Amino acid sequence: MTDSTFDDWEDDDDDPEDLPPGRRAWRLSRALALAFLGTDGSRRAMIDAALAALRVPHEARARAWLGGLVALVRRTFDPLPRASLDELTTTIAHSRALARYDRDAEIVRWVVTPGAPLETRWDVPRIDTVGDLARWLEVEIGELDWLADRRAMLVRAPLGPLHHYLRTWVPKPSGGARLIEAPKSRLASIQRRVLREIVERIPMHDVAHGFRRGRSVATFVAPHVGRAVVVRVDLEDFFASVTRGRVIGIFRSAGYPEEVARTLAASCTTRTPSREMRGIEHAVRARLRVPHLPQGAPTSPALASLAAFRLDARVEGLARAIDARCTRYADDIALSFERPQSHVAIDRVIARIAEIAREEGFRVAPHKTRVMRHGARQSLAGVVVNEKPAVPREEYERLRAILHRAAIEGPRAEDLAAHRDLRAHLEGRIAWIGQWSEHRRAKLAAMLARIEWTP
């Protein structure tokens, strides 16, 4: 890494003081991006590097707005040293923190970072160019460019067969609607390969239990069984909160060159066309308008969990400090305490988790937060954890009633119409209930065996 003056790096004769505000802000963003990329990514190093690149009239004021900017950059790009220079510059230029910078700040040094090749980490295939990526995926490079749609051409195209996603709004039980964006078969097959051979080989934080080998709902709830207090915090719009920039950072962290990482990330993210969001509230539209992880893509759950690595680390640190246990399954964060806690103390813990989530680019859904004490039902991911893990009795009884009626009358037409394969659906529900109780599994399986399935 070397230093150079402003004129050495910029090939024009404009006096920075004569530039319009927008262009001055953009140059400042570029200088800050280069300064940040020359650090180890720690908060102090980034602020010190920025102050070394600038001459500011009031250092205390500069540290204040730089602190907010550094917080934004660190939660958007993780790890920072592998971020794209262009992506980082754009993020800085459009941040609210930059709007508070000292207008008298002057760039005195540009840090030039050479583009050294990266070595792949973990057990992922080495892919050095976009051409190599196309060959690895067994597609023509033109088709890969079309499927990745890095230039967002399709978001402006009329809805039709050219689009790579089928989009459906599904009502939420709690109100509102959830957008399912399911990739069509060609893109889905590429995403499944990326998931198997790249994404699943990148380690998640130990707190994460969803969408990883050897972990399940059972391992998620196990630490919280028989505890005095169980707290559940739900993350809102978990997938849509993860932007393409963060996904690029994940692939860069695996060691992939910038263009390869950007193409991989574009293949796993999408922008929702405005015409698909008519009548949707503004906040949801704003999240879906930018490139994000689509709910419905095979890669999205694991990538979202990888993007939450810093969130997991910070919440686990909080849990250790207050002698609590902590796990996360997708958008559900669970904490539990061995002894009863005061109402005020738990409120403070929940508020701190919400603050951490916000700092890491996620949002907590307050109306879904639950504090469950031992005298009442304690439930996580649909499993009761008061004494031992078990599915609620009413769910078991409901399935028994369905199987009993089907054994006497045969499967109902509406049930057959509601499920592509009703028998497989019932077998899945029996397996879900049966993993917590062998007695219940055997009884339900015997009832299923008595049903006569007409050809």
Side-chain angles (χ1 to χ4, degrees), residues 151-314:
R151 290 169 292 178
M153 302 295 289
L154 293 179
V155 77
R156 296 182 291 273
L159 298 179
L162 289 178
H163 283 257
H164 302 314
Y165 289 87
L166 298 173
R167 295 180 168 92
T168 307
W169 288 95
V170 178
K172 295 181 182 179
S174 57
R178 176 184 293 109
L179 178 61
I180 305 300
E181 299 178 288
K184 294 180 182 178
S185 59
R186 187 60 171 149
L187 181 57
S189 66
I190 285 176
Q191 291 175 346
R192 281 192 289 269
R193 184 167 187 185
V194 171
L195 174 66
R196 287 193 312 269
E197 301 188 37
I198 297 178
V199 177
E200 287 184 346
R201 299 181 184 184
I202 302 175
M204 297 179 188
H205 194 279
D206 194 56
V207 161
H209 287 256
F211 321 114
R212 61 187 298 185
R213 296 184 187 278
R215 302 290 181 92
S216 64
V217 171
T219 62
F220 165 64
V221 304
H224 310 292
V225 174
R227 305 279 280 176
V229 182
V230 177
V231 178
R232 189 188 77 219
V233 177
D234 183 85
L235 298 174
E236 189 174 42
D237 294 332
F238 186 48
F239 296 151
S241 298
V242 180
T243 62
R244 183 173 296 172
R246 300 178 75 171
V247 179
I248 291 171
I250 292 169
F251 289 119
R252 291 283 280 169
S253 74
Y256 289 115
E258 181 178 327
E259 286 304 301
V260 173
R262 290 172 72 89
T263 304
L264 282 166
S267 301
C268 299
T269 55
T270 186
R271 298 183 192 209
T272 307
S274 296
R275 61 183 68 87
E276 295 271 18
M277 297 187 287
R278 293 191 179 96
I280 302 302
E281 61 181 285
H282 176 74
V284 176
R285 291 171 62 93
R287 287 192 285 272
L288 296 176
R289 191 177 292 120
V290 300
H292 60 274
L293 290 178
Q295 183 165 351
T299 41
S300 291
L303 284 171
S305 269
L306 288 170
F309 191 98
R310 281 173 51 85
L311 170 71
D312 291 339
R314 294 181 66 185

Side-chain angles (χ1 to χ4, degrees), residues 120-136:
T120 54
R121 302 171 65 192
W122 308 299
D123 183 27
V124 297
R126 177 157 186 165
I127 303 169
D128 294 323
T129 68
V130 175
D132 292 339
L133 176 60
R135 284 187 287 274
W136 180 72

